[in-house]
Amino acid sequence: MAVAGSAVGLGNFLRFPGKAAENGGGAFMIPYFVALLLLGIPLCWAEWSMGRYGGRKGFNSAPGVFSVIWRHPLSKYLGALALLIPLGVYFYYIVIEAWCLGYAWQYAIGSESLMNGIDPAGYKQHFEQYTGQGSDGALFAGGISQTLIFILITFALNFYLVYRGLSGGIEKFCNIAIPVMAVCAVCVLVRVLTLGTPDPNLVDQNVVNGLGYMWNPQPEALLKPATWLAAAGQIFFTLSVGFGVIINYASYVKPKDDIALSAITASSVNEFFEVCLGGMITLPAAFIFIGATMGTVVAVGSSFSLGFAALPNVFAMMPGGQLFGFLWFFMLFLAAITSSLSMLQPVNAFLKEGLGLDKFKATALLFTVSSVGTLFVVYYSKGLSALDTIDFWAGEFCIVILALVQAIMYGWVLGTARGKAELDNGAQLRVPNFVQFVLKYVTPAYLIAILAGYLFAPSGDGKSSAFFERINDIMKPDNFVQRISILIVLGTLVMLWIMVYFAGRRWEAEGRYSKLDE
Amino acid sequence: MTTGGWIFMTLSISSVLLLVIYTVGKVLLTANKQ
């Protein structure tokens, strides 16, 4: 439950429906399930296996674990990707976490902005104002906004919990909070599925068509490489695979613990929250109240916008809507805080293990770096451009790259025989042998095909690939913030590489590598 | 919603539910054994 608690977060209830809407609903679901079966679950097992293997050899951070598996000076620099992703995602994840807390607060005090009956345009406008989408620096204009206060509270709370080492306590708390959230989500789901046609003037915007938007297969859309990349990225994001979190967490697991069962249980519980609850609530609700143009809400804002814009309409139509609105966003905040705490752990562990910093110094350095990243996202809030750009490069593109690195590392460097032996150690659940074949051949080939399609296959106008279309878009004069966002991600990577260089020298001097040969 | 949509939805949701029931059941049985 603790691992499931960390896995369930904003990816399930906010990012998944947003990504599905952005990629045409039903067009997204086939690549999504293919990615779950061929990438997500197999790589989840691989990551747990590699993490515990590295942990048994005395390393807890991804650069260290990678060094154990591939005894080459470059391996630790590849491991830096597993630090960049959780840190980069944390820059903006914390902001969305704060929106959830802010919305919970507004429901708790009965704010009129969120309790106005059915008012799709009004709630969308409120969300845009609340998140400062009108202009850069909007949250700082005219004094400190409420949003900013909640961001500060959330940021401080995360670091307080990390410093005090209370994340375990929070996870225990989530053993209660996660089932409560499931019950709350089921109540909201029942309300969504019984909405019928709320506006008699818009007969097409009904619940059946909403479900159809999400589930009608669209085979013609399967030719878009960007959709396959988004689906793979979403699977990795939601399962925390290729994220750097599991490899660090698994390194602390005892040799006789059943990691095979832990991995698949966490994945399945997470998928239940995502597919059966998150998607079935937000996407049909957005279709009913916003219509098939909901993709524009995501395109103008971010993948995380849809739930905030659509769900207040649902709560307005529920008996006890204020209570459900409060419970929903507060539970979302709790689910998010376990995830954001787990994002800080990989870098925190590396700073202690690699640079020898004590608890205070490691936390202070992490606080400083993440403050800069988060402040950037908060200030450049126009159209949530900074948030969305970092989400794409760190939370989608880099995740797929790291997943490919890990698949090759597991299948071709560690070897499936050693990997399976590690996975089977202490396991009640025997992972079928064909999974090893999938991990060695299918997963890397699949990821290479997705990346090659995204980078090189003609898209849209038939000339440029989806990747170069994005690059061309970023290079337009108006997109200054997107360019700086990419520099923030690259700058963070360079900073981590420098730290990894010093960590490598330190491990060499301590003789930790030579101990591996004994 | 098309017939294909209904079939896809039913198969997907029931597969996820079966996986959850199997894995959580296995975890509980393992915990009881210990």
Side-chain angles (χ1 to χ4, degrees), chain A residues 100-120:
Chain A
C100 293
L101 185 61
Y103 265 51
W105 170 255
Q106 289 183 69
Y107 272 107
I109 61 169
S111 165
E112 280 182 18
S113 308
L114 289 177
M115 301 188 62
N116 238 352
I118 299 174
D119 184 11

Side-chain angles (χ1 to χ4, degrees), chain A residues 25 116 169 248 253 280 316 320 338 459 473 502:
Chain A
N116 238 352
N248 172 239
V253 169
M280 294 288 279
T338 55
S459 158
D473 189 45
F502 286 108

Side-chain angles (χ1 to χ4, degrees), chain A residues 26 29-30 33 36 41 208-209 211-217 258 261-262 264-265 267-269 271-272 275-276 280 428-430, chain B residues 1-28 30 33-34:
Chain A
M29 295 307 290
I30 293 175
F33 280 113
L36 172 68
I41 292 174
V208 175
N209 285 351
L211 291 173
Y213 182 83
M214 183 174 168
W215 291 105
N216 287 342
D258 190 344
L261 187 56
S262 297
I264 190 72
T265 307
S267 300
S268 61
V269 170
E271 282 309 300
F272 169 74
V275 175
C276 303
M280 294 288 279
Q428 296 285 324
L429 180 88
R430 294 284 157 187
Chain B
M1 181 140 93
T2 63
T3 310
W6 283 110
I7 293 170
F8 186 33
M9 183 178 84
T10 310
L11 281 177
S12 303
I13 290 177
S14 49
S15 304
V16 171
L17 284 175
L18 279 175
L19 188 64
V20 171
I21 292 166
Y22 173 75
T23 54
V24 173
K26 184 112 182 155
V27 167
L28 294 175
T30 309
K33 269 186 199 170
Q34 287 168 350

